[in-house]
């Protein structure tokens, strides 16, 4: 993999197993942004690292050591990453 510059002094690699942006026929079905710079107190960046073998990987750029709580919600189904600040 190529080196990647991600803002923040601390980083987390988020691997979404089965979270690919391609369908079963290898057609791209997510065409939205792959870099977010929200400027929050703790989360300063979320950059896509890649999408390979049905796994989408993202780097989260943080301003301090990560203290995370990760869970899912339904209706609609979604992943929640709660970052302490």
């Amino acid at each position: 993999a190529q080196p990647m510059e991600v803002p923040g002094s601390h980083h987390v690699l988020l691997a979404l197993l089965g979270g690919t942006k391609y369908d079963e026929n290898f057609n791209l079905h997510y065409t939205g942004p792959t870099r977010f710079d929200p400027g929050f107190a703790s989360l300063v960046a979320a950059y896509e690292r890649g999408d390979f073998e049905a796994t989408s990987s993202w780097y989260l750029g943080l301003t301090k050591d990560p203290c995370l709580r990760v869970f899912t919600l339904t209706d609609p189904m979604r992943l929640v990453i709660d970052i302490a600040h």
Side-chain angles (χ1 to χ4, degrees), residues 27-76:
N27 297 308
L28 183 64
H29 65 90
Y30 174 75
T31 59
T34 57
R35 289 185 174 226
F36 297 90
D37 295 292
F40 296 145
S42 295
L43 175 67
V44 293
Y47 289 7
E48 183 186 40
R49 178 177 176 256
D51 191 315
F52 182 69
E53 293 189 353
T55 299
S56 180
S57 302
W58 290 75
Y59 279 117
L60 305 180
L62 307 168
T63 58
K64 58 184 175 181
D65 277 332
C67 181
L68 308 173
R69 185 171 63 123
V70 180
F71 55 97
T72 59
L73 294 175
T74 57
D75 200 20

